Amino acid sequence: MGRSLKKGPFINAKLFGKVERLNDRGIKEPITTWARACTIIPEFVGRTFMVHNGKMHLKVFVTEDMVGHRLGE
């Protein structure tokens, strides 16, 4: 079951802040996160995330096809 359209997609505020800061500075380093439920938005395209899978961090490079999916998928 999906999330209500009225609420919009779930985006972790702390993670979004990190992405915006790195985009403004032009830094291309991986972002470590435990927020697997965070929805991928167009601002995340071209970024590398280190997503925790419960045991270790896996490298995920976000492309245009991933927009709308979750980081943990």
Side-chain angles (χ1 to χ4, degrees):
M1 184 127 161
R3 187 170 161 95
S4 168
L5 290 176
K6 181 174 69 172
K7 293 180 185 178
F10 171 73
I11 301 165
N12 189 330
K14 188 174 179 181
L15 181 62
F16 184 65
K18 285 182 185 180
V19 171
E20 281 198 328
R21 268 185 267 123
L22 292 177
N23 281 343
D24 290 342
R25 295 180 187 162
I27 301 172
K28 288 284 189 181
E29 64 184 30
I31 301 170
T32 304
T33 184
W34 282 260
R36 295 171 48 91
C38 183
T39 304
I40 297 173
I41 56 175
E43 285 82 4
F44 293 0
V45 173
R47 287 258 159 227
T48 303
F49 291 91
M50 299 294 288
V51 181
H52 197 261
N53 71 348
K55 185 175 181 180
M56 57 193 236
H57 291 277
L58 301 176
K59 203 176 262 192
V60 177
F61 181 75
V62 178
T63 61
E64 284 186 31
D65 297 336
M66 297 178 178
V67 173
H69 292 275
R70 308 287 174 112
L71 280 175
E73 289 181 0

